[in-house]
């Protein structure tokens, strides 16, 4: 489930079950989790937060207070930024991580890396279980060489394709917001997502999920068409890639990597 209005992702490997971001109400997150994955919230080991914006953390406090087994992982900057939004979380459930330091949880290794976004200490994640790797970037104004290096050749890439520049600039957003979205600490356009993917798709990459599409400034078909066009221009082998768009407000297909 992912859009500018709210983002949450579910990941499981062996016995390890995680939620990444919690940008909906506690009730919507619980329902989506059960419908989309069959996982009960009591089975989740941890919630990882990419940054402190409301569309990523809205339900984090409710989930943590309702499900006491849940460890909530965020950078120090994210903890500070989201305090007001999420309310109190039990200190024993609060975990702080740093960019570049690998976190081991069950059979997963999780590497947080820096992204370019106008939040305090925002990150993307690379998840690995020793066999497969999944890279995720939810919000970033640009795609840096460090991100290319970290994500290259992941088996699955989950990447923001937020807006079409024409729809954004001709749309109804106020001017400062248009500038923010298109800025270097804003959001990746469909074009930018395509160009990023052209650099990070490797021989192992099979699955791509485009996320965080704007309702106002994008269309799923347009995002797909633009990204595929850029990949074709860059001689990526589209036949071996499955590319899909995460729906706005319902759980997407459960993907096995
Ligand atoms: Zn954000
Ligand atoms: Zn966002």
């Amino acid at each position: 489930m992912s859009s500018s209005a709210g983002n949450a992702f579910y990941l499981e490997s062996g016995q390890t079950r995680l939620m990444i971001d919690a940008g909906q109400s506690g009730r919507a997150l619980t329902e989506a989790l059960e419908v989309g994955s069959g996982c009960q919230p009591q089975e989740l080991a941890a919630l990882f937060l990419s940054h402190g914006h409301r569309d990523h953390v809205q339900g984090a406090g409710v989930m943590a207070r309702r499900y006491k087994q849940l460890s909530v992982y965020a950078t120090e900057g994210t903890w500070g930024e989201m305090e007001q939004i999420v309310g109190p979380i039990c200190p024993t459930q609060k975990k702080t991580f740093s960019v570049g330091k690998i976190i081991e949880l069950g059979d997963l290794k999780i590497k947080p890396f820096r992204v370019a976004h106008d939040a305090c200490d925002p990150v993307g994640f690379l998840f690995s279980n020793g066999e497969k790797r999944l890279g995720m970037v939810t919000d970033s104004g640009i795609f840096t060489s460090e991100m290319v290096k970290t994500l290259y050749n992941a088996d699955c890439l989950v990447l923001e394709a937020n807006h079409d520049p024409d729809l954004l600039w001709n749309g109804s957003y106020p001017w400062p917001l248009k500038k923010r979205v298109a800025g270097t600490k804003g959001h990746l356009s469909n074009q930018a997502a395509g160009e990023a993917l052209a650099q990070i798709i490797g021989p192992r990459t099979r699955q791509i999920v485009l996320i965080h599409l704007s309702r106002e400034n994008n269309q799923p078909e347009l995002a797909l068409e633009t990204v595929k066009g850029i990949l074709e221009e860059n001689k990526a082998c589209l036949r071996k890639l499955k590319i899909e768009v995460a729906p706005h407000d319902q759980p997407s297909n459960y993907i096995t990597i």
Side-chain angles (χ1 to χ4, degrees), residues 7 51 55-56 139 187 212:
N7 299 272
H51 64 294
D55 61 317
H56 297 261
D139 301 43
H187 294 277
H212 212 290

Side-chain angles (χ1 to χ4, degrees), residues 55-95:
D55 61 317
H56 297 261
V57 302
Q58 190 196 333
V62 174
M63 292 297 280
R65 287 187 287 278
R66 204 171 281 168
Y67 306 109
K68 292 288 182 198
Q69 88 290 353
L70 200 61
S71 296
V72 184
Y73 287 82
T75 61
E76 211 164 304
T78 299
W79 277 119
E81 195 168 36
M82 71 178 183
E83 212 168 8
Q84 300 271 315
I85 303 172
V86 303
I89 292 180
C90 178
T92 57
Q93 290 173 274
K94 280 173 108 166
K95 313 281 175 195

Side-chain angles (χ1 to χ4, degrees), residues 104-214:
E104 295 199 28
L105 201 75
D107 60 350
L108 281 174
K109 285 193 169 70
I110 300 135
K111 183 182 182 184
F113 56 90
R114 188 156 318 286
V115 295
H117 193 53
D118 56 358
C120 195
D121 218 0
V123 296
F125 297 108
L126 180 69
F127 300 91
S128 168
N129 68 357
E131 265 179 62
K132 300 281 173 79
R133 296 188 308 148
L134 179 147
M136 181 180 284
V137 176
T138 62
D139 301 43
S140 192
I142 51 170
F143 210 81
T144 63
S145 54
E146 188 203 339
M147 288 155 78
V148 172
K149 223 167 93 186
T150 305
L151 296 175
Y152 177 72
N153 206 18
D155 299 83
C156 177
L157 293 160
V158 180
L159 179 64
E160 169 174 59
N162 176 257
H163 59 276
D164 173 79
D166 286 341
L167 290 180
L168 174 70
W169 292 110
N170 295 314
S172 63
Y173 275 18
W175 181 251
L177 184 54
K178 288 180 181 179
K179 271 185 32 188
R180 186 208 150 226
V181 169
T184 54
K185 293 198 161 185
H187 294 277
L188 290 174
S189 68
N190 296 338
Q191 282 80 351
E195 281 157 20
L197 285 167
Q199 295 181 74
I200 54 178
I201 287 171
R204 287 190 62 100
T205 310
R206 290 288 179 274
Q207 182 81 48
I208 290 162
V209 186
L210 303 177
I211 60 166
H212 212 290
L213 271 71
S214 165

